[in-house]
Amino acid sequence: MAGLPRRLGHAEEATLGEHLEELRGRLFVMLGSIAVGTVVAFVFNDHVLNWLNRPLPPYHHRLLTTGVAEPFTVTITVCIYAGFVLALPIVLWQLWLFFAPALDPAAERKVLGLALFALVLAAAGIAFGYWVLLPRAVHFLVHYDRQHFLILPRASSYYNFVVTVLVGIVLVFQTPLVVLGLVYLGVLSSRTLRRHRRMGYLVTAAVALALPGPDPVTTFLELLPMWLLFEGSIRLAWLVERRRAKVAPASATLGG
């Protein structure tokens, strides 16, 4: 399309004004995609709200609102979040097109591979958070000390809880990507990770306690995948080191 910003070629020279013009165009595309995503989410807001309410017990599916305008404002807020999620691939792609010309083709392939890996991890995190973590955490919270409290979940508080838990678990599932980056930078090695495995478990436990989730059920369910991901990260670090060790002699031979 003629209206879309043109991607610069690798090492292509451009003035500051041309970079700013490209950035302005890409920001316009990103904001436009978020606006379109929000409109789509608003059109289907009934499906969006039903999807978010599913972890609740059946008798809590109609959430409490305490103001005349709150049903509308909460729905709009949820639709904006949903619109951003729908537009996220376009937003990330536009950012990538802006920064990619600064990378050589080999580095570009590596970054795209890492981005795909991060996307897979994020999808796994959302699936685990929605189908495993949220139902159990919500069930524990809405049934806690019912003999002393009249539990009427408020819409805004519940949706904020859902968002923070899902964002937290997505960040948790990025652990292998962080470890992989540190291994590439030479900060960590599989040998170091194995040697300090107990310390790694302690650090992951501290991170789980710091993540969103005010109850022990949420914290424990966040901690389990963190330990599994930590163990998987050790294996991943070993595979990366092994691959680099194979590539290094071949590069030295070609250089010679």
Side-chain angles (χ1 to χ4, degrees), residues 197-217:
R197 182 181 266 109
R198 291 183 180 178
M199 180 60 69
Y201 278 109
L202 182 62
V203 170
T204 53
V207 172
L209 290 172
L211 287 172
D215 62 283
V217 174

Side-chain angles (χ1 to χ4, degrees), residues 26-91:
R26 300 206 181 281
L27 287 174
F28 180 78
V29 173
M30 288 187 283
L31 292 175
S33 64
I34 294 173
V36 171
T38 301
V39 171
V40 171
F42 185 76
V43 171
F44 297 98
N45 72 83
D46 189 55
H47 297 283
V48 175
L49 295 177
N50 285 337
W51 188 81
L52 291 173
N53 293 347
R54 198 166 295 160
L56 286 163
Y59 48 86
H60 279 312
H61 277 191
R62 295 183 67 185
L63 297 168
L64 176 68
T65 55
T66 58
V68 175
E70 191 172 356
F72 178 75
T73 56
V74 169
T75 299
I76 289 296
T77 302
V78 170
C79 290
I80 292 173
Y81 281 128
F84 179 77
V85 173
L86 290 174
L88 191 58
I90 297 175
V91 172

Side-chain angles (χ1 to χ4, degrees), residues 127-144:
F128 177 85
Y130 181 76
W131 278 290
V132 177
L133 195 155
L134 271 177
R136 287 157 180 81
V138 169
H139 183 271
F140 172 81
L141 292 171
V142 300
H143 289 90
Y144 184 77

